[in-house]
């Protein structure tokens, strides 16, 4: 575990200790009161534990101390936030916190990130806000990197499966450690708009190489590699904060509201279609009668 005086540990500690919803002994009580209970979230947590940070020796084996603590943090969070329960991505956020903070502080860190730093619904059941952010990113990409955006459109390359994971995990285990710490330092100071800054910076730093490619498979493979190859955090930060110029949070929020409404409307339509389908399966005779009457 790193010293609490190290960056970004000190920033983490400041945010966690200043949150108004932190309740003494709440973490211990959550674990004790829910012993023996089961849920879908708990089953998913067990499936994801060993897949969290597979290259970190703290999380190699089921009986490693890191895995034991990670399980408790995620289980407690699932009971604390039943509207979220568990979502892939939370495991990485908790795991990285446990490398800096003790177990209870890591729990409150997870609560702080979800409730204070990320938009509502980011880790909810339908991931509405997470989906909306991918559309916001495409808007910003079109503004900041129009040539690359046109290139992706020409080759019909959808990068959102990659960037969705970047955002959901706040770049944990998607970029080299030093770069990740730089991103987290900025994230804790400036909030979630940093997600967009660094995503576009990664694309900009790889723009020249991407534009040389001439088939969708090679382009997508390069996009998947971009994060792991970001070994120069200072250069990436220079692009993110100087070369990309202003990133008004007001504009980001406006785009988020617009796209969140669109995603919600689309999800509601999907839900209605699903209900109609299930209804038709439960009452096939109604459809048969309708067909008979029409004929």
């Amino acid at each position: 575990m790193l010293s609490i005086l190290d960056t970004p540990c000190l920033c983490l500690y400041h945010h966690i200790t200043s949150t108004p919803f932190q309740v003494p002994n709440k973490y211990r009580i959550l674990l004790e009161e829910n012993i023996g209970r089961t849920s879908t979230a708990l089953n998913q947590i067990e499936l994801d534990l060993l897949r969290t940070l597979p290259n970190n020796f703290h999380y190699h084996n089921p009986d490693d101390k890191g895995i034991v603590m990670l399980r408790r943090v995620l289980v407690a969070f699932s009971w604390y936030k039943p509207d979220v329960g568990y979502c892939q991505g939370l495991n990485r956020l908790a795991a990285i916190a446990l490398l800096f903070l003790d177990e209870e502080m890591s729990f409150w860190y997870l609560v702080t990130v979800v409730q204070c730093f990320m938009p509502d619904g980011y880790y909810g059941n339908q991931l509405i806000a997470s989906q909306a952010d991918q559309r916001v990113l495409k808007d910003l990409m079109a503004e900041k990197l129009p040539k690359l955006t046109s290139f992706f459109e020409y080759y019909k390359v959808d990068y959102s499966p990659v960037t969705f994971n970047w955002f959901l995990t706040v770049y944990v285990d998607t970029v080299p450690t030093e770069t990740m710490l730089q991103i987290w330092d900025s994230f804790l100071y400036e909030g979630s708009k940093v997600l967009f800054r660094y995503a576009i910076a990664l694309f900009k730093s790889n723009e020249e190489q991407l534009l040389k490619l001439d088939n969708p498979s090679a382009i997508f493979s390069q996009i998947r590699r971009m994060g792991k190859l970001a070994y120069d955090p200072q250069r990436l930060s220079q692009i993110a904060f100087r070369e990309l110029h202003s990133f008004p949070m007001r504009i980001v929020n406006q785009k988020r509201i617009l796209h969140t409404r669109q995603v919600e409307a689309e999800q509601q339509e999907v839900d209605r279609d699903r209900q109609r389908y299930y209804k038709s399966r439960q009452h096939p005779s109604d459809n048969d009668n309708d067909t008979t009457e029409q004929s």
Side-chain angles (χ1 to χ4, degrees):
M1 183 181 295
L2 299 181
S3 168
I4 197 66
L5 297 178
D6 292 328
T7 301
C9 296
L10 185 60
C11 193
L12 271 172
Y13 185 81
H14 166 73
H15 282 290
I16 295 167
T17 55
S18 63
T19 54
F21 41 76
Q22 186 175 356
V23 179
N25 299 318
K26 181 66 174 178
Y27 176 67
R28 176 182 57 79
I29 293 170
L30 282 168
L31 291 173
E32 291 178 354
E33 288 184 344
N34 292 286
I35 290 177
R37 291 184 63 188
T38 60
S39 70
T40 302
L42 268 58
N43 294 334
Q44 189 60 50
I45 288 169
E46 289 300 321
L47 291 174
D48 283 351
L49 285 174
L50 292 177
R51 299 188 297 210
T52 300
L53 295 179
N55 296 320
N56 188 293
F57 72 92
H58 292 288
Y59 304 105
H60 277 175
N61 303 302
D63 57 348
D64 284 343
K65 185 178 179 180
I67 290 292
V68 174
M69 292 192 297
L70 178 60
R71 177 186 291 109
R72 287 199 294 257
V73 169
L74 294 174
V75 167
F77 180 85
S78 73
W79 297 125
Y80 182 82
K81 289 282 291 180
D83 57 318
V84 174
Y86 173 74
C87 166
Q88 287 185 339
L90 295 177
N91 55 330
R92 293 187 186 181
L93 297 179
I96 203 68
L98 285 165
L99 299 179
F100 294 100
L101 305 167
D102 66 33
E103 188 175 320
E104 184 171 1
M105 289 294 283
S106 295
F107 164 76
W108 287 115
Y109 144 86
L110 192 59
V111 173
T112 301
V113 169
V114 173
Q115 293 193 180
C116 297
F117 283 88
M118 305 300 264
D120 289 342
Y122 219 83
Y123 298 97
N125 185 42
Q126 296 177 324
L127 300 172
I128 296 294
S130 301
Q131 294 182 61
D133 262 9
Q134 293 309 302
R135 301 185 185 192
V136 175
L137 175 61
K138 288 183 177 180
D139 286 352
L140 296 173
M141 283 281 289
E143 296 171 11
K144 303 291 185 179
L145 300 176
K147 185 176 181 180
L148 192 58
T149 297
S150 297
F151 175 77
F152 289 148
E153 291 174 351
Y154 177 81
Y155 283 103
K156 296 181 172 58
V157 172
D158 179 13
Y159 50 78
S160 62
V162 177
T163 55
F164 186 88
N165 186 57
W166 291 355
F167 282 33
L168 206 63
T169 63
V170 195
Y171 296 90
V172 172
D173 205 35
T174 63
V175 296
T177 301
E178 188 176 352
T179 303
M180 182 202 69
L181 293 176
Q182 180 69 54
I183 294 173
W184 267 87
D185 198 28
S186 302
F187 172 73
L188 292 168
Y189 277 110
E190 293 206 13
S192 61
K193 77 173 181 179
V194 162
L195 301 175
F196 302 104
R197 279 194 180 277
Y198 279 101
I200 299 174
L202 281 166
F203 279 108
K204 184 173 177 60
S205 64
N206 286 269
E207 183 173 21
E208 184 177 346
Q209 186 172 358
L210 284 165
L211 291 174
K212 293 178 181 178
L213 303 174
D214 59 4
N215 72 80
S217 179
I219 295 167
F220 189 76
S221 293
Q222 178 61 23
I223 292 171
R224 290 184 62 186
R225 289 194 297 266
M226 290 192 318
K228 294 296 185 182
L229 298 175
Y231 290 109
D232 190 345
Q234 283 72 35
R235 174 59 184 148
L236 192 64
S237 293
Q238 183 180 21
I239 296 172
F241 290 95
R242 295 183 182 180
E243 297 183 18
L244 294 179
H245 305 298
S246 63
F247 248 85
M249 195 63 196
R250 174 178 56 84
I251 300 299
V252 171
N253 283 337
Q254 288 175 354
K255 292 180 180 296
R256 277 176 160 168
I257 291 171
L258 171 65
H259 288 298
T260 296
R261 288 172 178 169
Q262 291 175 346
V263 173
E264 287 175 337
E266 291 168 10
Q267 186 60 53
Q268 289 169 3
E269 183 60 32
V270 170
D271 291 341
R272 285 193 290 268
D273 288 343
R274 185 182 295 113
Q275 290 172 2
R276 285 193 289 267
Y277 172 76
Y278 287 145
K279 185 177 180 180
S280 68
R281 297 282 291 179
Q282 293 171 353
H283 305 285
S285 59
D286 293 345
N287 294 333
D288 294 341
N289 291 337
D290 291 343
T291 303
T292 303
E293 290 174 3
Q294 290 174 5
S295 60

